[in-house]
Each structure stands twice: as structure tokens, then as C-alpha cells.
């Protein structure tokens, strides 16, 4: 079994390191199982590198990286919202229209995070629950330590994780949702860390945008709770370096400057 664990100080470097770990002579299938990617600063990436990667992606008719990132966190909508409640209200209002777009029939990741199908047939704002719990912990009214979970809880239980997979409806072998859940931990220095679990990750088609979107989501949650941003860890049950390998390899040999 091919596996790896890499760390990058920003989204760009982490993505390059993960792709290089898959693109090895002793791994002709360019796949890995139970791979781990850690990003020290998930709020930063090299925009020039992203533009070049998008150029290759556009040639293969893939969505822009920012569009992929937007399925995890709608940064533009959040910037226009007065507060978190307003963001949730706006997104839920447009959610039925979003589901009509190709590939969105089962919903979007952010839709699952702020309108998760509850057991009482009510939509649950999991992000708001996480923010509230983090605020409580940071104020000293909760345990000022990392919050770990032993199993998946239902969002009605107000856990420190965001569920995406819904067992009663997500039974496809492929497709949405590849992201199963995101858990959050608050350390004693007041930083919020996140860990995301994917059942499958396509490095060229989705991974860069996923890293970017997860980092933006983490930054938003930390900001709403008046806390600092920590690290992002992404675990993939199955990872594959897809796409035009000959065209991608020159990017993997670059060492882009750290974006300001």
C-alpha cells in the first residue's frame, strides 16, 4: 500500500508536496491510501501558481479553483453578509437554485454545513453550533483544551465537528459527497485547528480548491469566535494524481515564492 504524510507551510506548497508524493516511479498508478496532508498556514497560497494551475485546468474544462473552493465556503457572500445569521439566511434562500446546477443535485458542501438534514426534518446550522461552542470554550465557560471525538455524532448533539455525509441518503459509490466530515480543535494558545476526512481526493481536479476552501472556512470560524487560525490537516482514504501529468510535472518542480 502506498501512503504518505507531508507538511507544507501554505496551500501551494502542501499541494505540490502531496502530488510529488504520488508521482513516483515506484507508484505507477499515482494513487495512495490513507494519505495525510498538513498545511501550516491554510489561509495563504501563491496566487501566481494558482493562476497557472487554473490555466491547465481550464484546458481540461474543469471549474476554476475558486469555484471549487466556493462549494466549501462562499467567501464573496460572507463578505456581504452582516453577520453569520445573515450569511446562513442568504445561503439557504439561494440553496434551491444552487441544487439545479450540474453536479449539485445532492447539494453542496457548504449547504450541508449550514442546512444539514436533521432528524426532525429541520435544517441544522452546524457552522453556527461550532462557532458558539468555540466562543464558550474561549471564554472560560468550557474546557480550554483540544476537543476530540471518538465517533461521529449527529449535529443535534452540538459536537465539535461538521458532518457532510448523511447515511440515509448518500449511498453512491462515486460522487458527492467525497468529504465526510470536518472536526475542529481549540488549543490552549487560542488557535482553532481543523481536520477534514475525504473518502477520495483527485489532486488535479479538486484538491487545490478543496484545500483553499477549507482554509477559508477555518479562517471564518476562527474569526467569528474571536480566535486565531491554526493548522489544517486533510486525510484522504484514496488519493489520485489525475489530469495531464506531463503538463503538471513542471509545476511540481517549482518552488513558488510565499504570497504576501
Amino acid at each position: 500500500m502506498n501512503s504518505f504524510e507531508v507538511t507544507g507551510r501554505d496551500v501551494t506548497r502542501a499541494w505540490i508536496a502531496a502530488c510529488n508524493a504520488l508521482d513516483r516511479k515506484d507508484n505507477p498508478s499515482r494513487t495512495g491510501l490513507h494519505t495525510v496532508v498538513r498545511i501550516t498556514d491554510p489561509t495563504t497560497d501563491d496566487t501566481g501558481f494558482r493562476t497557472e494551475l487554473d490555466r491547465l485546468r481550464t484546458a481540461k474544462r474543469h471549474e476554476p479553483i475558486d469555484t471549487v473552493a466556493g462549494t466549501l465556503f462562499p467567501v464573496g457572500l460572507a463578505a456581504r453578509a452582516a453577520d453569520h445569521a445573515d450569511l446562513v439566511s442568504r445561503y439557504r434562500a439561494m440553496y434551491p437554485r444552487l441544487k439545479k446546477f450540474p453536479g449539485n443535485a445532492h447539494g453542496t458542501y457548504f449547504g450541508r454545513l449550514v442546512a444539514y438534514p436533521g432528524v426532525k426534518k429541520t435544517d441544522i446550522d452546524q457552522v453556527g453550533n461550532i462557532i458558539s461552542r468555540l466562543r464558550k470554550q474561549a471564554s472560560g465557560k468550557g474546557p480550554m483544551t483540544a476537543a476530540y471525538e471518538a465517533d461521529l455524532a449527529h449535529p443535534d448533539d452540538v459536537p465539535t465537528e461538521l458532518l457532510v455525509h448523511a447515511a440515509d441518503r448518500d449511498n453512491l459509490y462515486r460522487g458527492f459527497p467525497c468529504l465526510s466530515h470536518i472536526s475542529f480543535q481549540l488549543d490552549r494558545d487560542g488557535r482553532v485547528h481543523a481536520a477534514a476526512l475525504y473518502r477520495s481526493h483527485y489532486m488535479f481536479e479538486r484538491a487545490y480548491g478543496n484545500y483553499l476552501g477549507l482554509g477559508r472556512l477555518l479562517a471564518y470560524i476562527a474569526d467569528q469566535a474571536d480566535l486565531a487560525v491554526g493548522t489544517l490537516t486533510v486525510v484522504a482514504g484514496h488519493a489520485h494524481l489525475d489530469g495531464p501529468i506531463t503538463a503538471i510535472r513542471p509545476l511540481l518542480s517549482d518552488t513558488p515564492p510565499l504570497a504576501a
Side-chain angles (χ1 to χ4, degrees), residues 183-231:
S183 65
F184 294 83
Q185 290 75 38
L186 174 62
D187 69 21
R188 295 184 182 275
D189 295 321
R191 296 177 301 171
V192 184
H193 306 268
L197 174 63
Y198 282 82
R199 60 173 178 168
S200 182
H201 228 168
Y202 289 91
M203 299 305 298
F204 179 70
E205 182 181 350
R206 308 294 295 182
Y208 197 104
N210 289 160
Y211 296 170
L212 200 64
L214 288 168
R216 290 171 178 174
L217 175 65
L218 173 58
Y220 173 79
I221 288 175
D223 179 70
Q224 290 291 307
D226 294 321
L227 295 165
V229 177
T231 60

Side-chain angles (χ1 to χ4, degrees), residues 112-126:
R112 287 291 177 93
L113 300 184
V114 299
Y116 189 89
V119 293
K120 299 177 182 178
K121 296 185 179 180
T122 58
D123 292 335
I124 299 168
D125 174 18
Q126 300 185 79

Side-chain angles (χ1 to χ4, degrees), residues 59 80 113 137 140 153 157 163 165 221 256:
R80 297 191 297 272
L113 300 184
Q137 287 183 305
D157 297 329
L163 307 186
H165 184 270
I221 288 175

Side-chain angles (χ1 to χ4, degrees), residues 63-113:
E63 297 172 317
I65 289 172
D66 265 320
T67 300
V68 176
T71 65
L72 282 153
F73 183 70
V75 63
L77 187 64
R80 297 191 297 272
D83 52 25
H84 179 68
D86 186 36
L87 171 60
V88 173
S89 177
R90 287 170 179 248
Y91 197 87
R92 286 182 176 180
M94 62 190 295
Y95 201 26
R97 297 196 304 274
L98 290 175
K99 289 182 178 181
K100 294 180 180 180
F101 283 85
N104 287 353
H106 298 280
T108 66
Y109 289 124
F110 192 70
R112 287 291 177 93
L113 300 184

Side-chain angles (χ1 to χ4, degrees), residues 243-255:
I245 302 302
T246 302
I248 293 173
R249 280 181 177 143
L251 288 179
L252 304 185
S253 64
D254 288 344
T255 304

